Amino acid sequence: MSTKTSLTPQEQQAWAAALDDEYRSHETYQRVIRDFGPVRPFINIVEAEARHISALLALCARYGVPPPPNRWRELAPRFGSVHDACVAGVQGEIENVALYDGLLLATPRPDVLEVFQALRSASQDRHLPAFRRCAQRG
């Protein structure tokens, strides 16, 4: 039995939005590492973003949803300094938490809710504090 036909358009849009945001974060943090070297917290968080993408892609595969392309490979922003990147990281993680707050309302599926909640928590509880510490260091 295919689960693809049982997905609502709202659920498909939620996956697409989540993946697009995780792609953006991953590519942005990779760009910072390419520009400034293996600096913290980017070297740790970029690996977490890759795991987030993998978790979302696994859901796509489970439900037969084709993943959206990663449009951020060539669009990742550049920053004048690591500090500027950390300040942007704070804002990006705040926006990520808000995105997941909305996405958690898009589906009743327990497996999807578990992934969305885990990704939201990672942003709120780990990434955001790391970027705030970095931004405060100046």
Side-chain angles (χ1 to χ4, degrees):
M1 177 178 123
S2 171
T3 56
K4 181 177 180 180
T5 57
S6 65
L7 291 177
T8 67
Q10 183 180 9
E11 288 172 321
Q12 291 186 33
Q13 289 171 356
W15 267 300
L19 260 171
D20 187 65
D21 193 66
E22 298 297 343
Y23 286 151
R24 180 189 54 79
S25 295
H26 185 261
E27 297 299 333
T28 298
Y29 303 159
Q30 280 193 322
R31 168 52 56 194
V32 171
I33 292 166
R34 283 193 301 271
D35 288 349
F36 299 106
V39 294
R40 289 183 185 257
F42 296 95
I43 58 172
N44 297 326
I45 296 175
V46 75
E47 292 176 11
E49 297 298 348
R51 288 189 301 272
H52 297 181
I53 291 167
S54 292
L56 290 167
L57 290 175
L59 285 175
C60 286
R62 182 179 307 149
Y63 286 97
V65 176
N70 181 353
R71 65 188 180 102
W72 292 100
R73 285 195 176 103
E74 303 301 323
L75 297 176
R78 297 185 90 155
F79 302 97
S81 68
V82 173
H83 176 262
D84 292 346
C86 287
V87 170
V90 168
Q91 185 59 41
E93 295 297 338
I94 289 170
E95 291 170 4
N96 184 265
V97 170
L99 172 70
Y100 280 108
D101 285 344
L103 297 181
L104 286 164
L105 303 174
T107 182
R109 298 173 195 273
D111 57 338
V112 177
L113 291 172
E114 182 179 331
V115 170
F116 284 1
Q117 185 60 51
L119 300 184
R120 184 200 178 281
S121 293
S123 288
Q124 178 71 43
D125 301 334
R126 292 187 292 282
H127 303 180
L128 183 55
F131 282 128
R132 282 186 171 146
R133 286 189 301 272
C134 177
Q136 289 170 351
R137 284 192 300 264

